[in-house]
Amino acid sequence: MQEPGSTPSLHEALATIAAAARAAYADGFNLRVRSSGIVHDVAMTRWFADERMPGPACMVGVSGWDPGAAHPDRGAVTCRRCLKLTHAESGGGTRDPTSDKSLDLRHMIMRI
């Protein structure tokens, strides 16, 4: 823990950003990237310093993975890739977006 008025370490700053992003999706929100009309399912992905961040389950590119590019959305998932992945992984049900087994990059590469 840091002292009041001190500058957080890089890892502390990244952990704070990642925790805030995870909290934004904790109530089952889906995800929209910037002003796109496409709504994605959410998966926890590896980010800097091995932190977990919510991202599109289909792993669509988010340029530089700007944490501010993704926004929680209550709309139904409309991304075809996300819908295919959800159907293939769960037999048609919904996936737990906070599960450690949710898609990470290594898992996605193995599936392609």
Side-chain angles (χ1 to χ4, degrees):
M1 195 85 193
Q2 68 188 42
E3 293 181 31
S6 67
T7 304
S9 71
L10 178 58
H11 188 269
E12 288 171 329
L14 293 173
T16 299
I17 292 167
R22 288 190 305 270
Y25 293 88
D27 290 331
F29 280 92
N30 291 316
L31 181 147
R32 185 181 304 266
V33 179
R34 294 186 179 87
S35 61
S36 169
I38 299 171
V39 178
H40 297 272
D41 196 5
V42 177
M44 291 298 124
T45 59
R46 291 186 193 278
W47 193 52
F48 298 111
D50 207 30
E51 289 293 333
R52 297 285 182 159
M53 289 282 282
C58 65
M59 304 303 280
V60 67
V62 179
S63 181
W65 186 226
D66 171 8
H71 305 282
D73 193 293
R74 281 280 186 207
V77 174
T78 58
C79 171
R80 288 184 187 178
R81 288 181 188 167
C82 289
L83 291 169
K84 259 182 157 175
L85 289 170
T86 300
H87 181 71
E89 287 186 356
S90 64
T94 54
R95 205 171 14 82
D96 177 3
T98 60
S99 168
D100 283 343
K101 291 172 50 181
S102 293
L103 298 176
D104 66 31
L105 186 56
R106 291 175 295 166
H107 181 72
M108 190 65 181
I109 291 170
M110 300 292 273
R111 295 174 54 158
I112 294 177

